Amino acid sequence: MNAIIYCRVSTKKETQESSLARQKEELQKFAAQSGFTIHKMIEEKHSGYDIDRNGILEVLDMLKEGVAEVLLIQDETRLGRGNAKIALLHAIHKYGGTIYTVNQNGELQLSEADSMVLEIVSIVEEFQRKLHNLKIKRGMEKAVREGYKPERNLKDQHYGGRERKSVPIEEIVNLRNRGLTFHEIAATLKGFGYEASKATVHRRYKEHVDEQEQKL
């Protein structure tokens, strides 16, 4: 699996440079021992109570886009502190990422209190997601009633004898250009009856982009 190494210190003092260097060294060794491929290493000097950090936001983007599945940190305080830590834990879980720490020599084990808070947040967000998807579905059903025919965009392709899922690539590109995330696109397609995961949507979109670049 592809992994992101994330190192953080709270201040910009020169004395913290040795801490960053130590974190990077320990995490590189940990990645090698665990069999992870290091996709990128990110380090920053910023308070853990602040969520507005370029480094951690880049981590979330990479997890969200599926280019990496694992986040490696020295310990959970390197991720963040207080409410910022909870928010980041929730986002990483939402994007399908897994956190491993050197401190615990494996996957991050949360405290009972943190687990309870995350469970409550997840329940609330799940109901919000269902409401959002229902709105999308109603909008798509209305479009079909008014004459929109999504099946015209289907492309059935076969590679190596294995049948690929039929997904409307033109609609994926169209929705992506409108600013939807791959998760939202997958939910929208589901409203039309197309079963495709976020990973499948991301892969087909990337294939399409690569094909267009080759034609240039």
Side-chain angles (χ1 to χ4, degrees):
M1 291 189 290
N2 287 335
I4 306 165
I5 285 180
Y6 177 74
C7 310
R8 183 188 66 80
V9 291
S10 58
T11 70
K12 296 182 179 181
K13 294 181 180 179
E14 292 184 7
T15 54
Q16 294 293 302
E17 290 295 336
S18 60
S19 177
L20 277 176
R22 185 173 62 255
Q23 288 181 48
K24 287 192 292 184
E25 182 180 355
E26 291 179 351
L27 288 166
Q28 285 177 296
K29 289 181 179 178
F30 182 57
Q33 292 169 359
S34 303
F36 295 130
T37 299
I38 300 175
H39 178 72
K40 190 167 186 178
M41 290 201 307
I42 296 176
E43 59 180 86
E44 58 185 350
K45 302 171 184 178
H46 213 297
S47 170
Y49 290 101
D50 191 353
I51 203 169
D52 186 12
R53 293 177 255 148
N54 291 333
I56 200 63
L57 293 177
E58 185 179 357
V59 168
L60 294 180
D61 284 341
M62 287 188 285
L63 293 174
K64 185 176 183 179
E65 298 299 331
V67 298
E69 303 85 24
V70 174
L71 175 62
L72 303 180
I73 54 178
Q74 187 179 54
D75 59 72
E76 64 179 67
T77 65
R78 298 305 95 201
L79 182 65
R81 294 179 181 274
N83 292 335
K85 182 185 74 172
I86 294 297
L88 291 170
L89 287 171
H90 176 67
I92 291 168
H93 176 73
K94 176 181 176 180
Y95 299 148
T98 304
I99 303 172
Y100 284 77
T101 74
V102 172
N103 187 47
Q104 295 183 351
N105 194 34
E107 188 172 344
L108 174 64
Q109 302 299 312
L110 299 175
S111 68
E112 185 175 345
D114 286 347
S115 296
M116 182 175 65
V117 172
L118 287 173
E119 184 175 355
I120 293 171
V121 172
S122 296
I123 290 172
V124 172
E125 187 173 72
E126 176 64 16
F127 276 94
Q128 290 178 330
R129 185 188 65 79
K130 287 180 178 179
L131 289 172
H132 177 69
N133 287 345
L134 284 172
K135 290 179 181 179
I136 291 175
K137 184 178 180 181
R138 290 182 65 182
M140 293 302 177
E141 289 174 343
K142 180 181 178 182
V144 171
R145 289 197 301 270
E146 293 176 353
Y148 175 70
K149 298 183 183 299
E151 64 273 9
R152 290 178 179 175
N153 291 325
L154 279 177
K155 285 188 176 182
D156 292 315
Q157 301 179 22
H158 301 268
Y159 295 84
R162 180 180 178 183
E163 184 174 353
R164 287 157 57 92
K165 290 182 179 179
S166 296
V167 292
I169 186 61
E170 285 82 0
E171 286 309 306
I172 291 177
V173 174
N174 181 41
L175 293 172
R176 184 62 176 169
N177 290 340
R178 292 185 180 184
L180 273 69
T181 66
F182 293 117
H183 177 80
E184 291 169 336
I185 293 173
T188 302
L189 293 178
K190 189 174 182 180
F192 273 134
Y194 301 117
E195 292 294 336
S197 66
K198 180 188 75 172
T200 296
V201 171
H202 175 262
R203 184 169 62 253
R204 298 297 169 79
Y205 178 79
K206 188 176 185 303
E207 289 173 354
H208 173 78
V209 171
D210 291 342
E211 288 175 2
Q212 295 304 310
E213 290 179 349
Q214 290 175 3
K215 293 178 181 179
L216 297 178

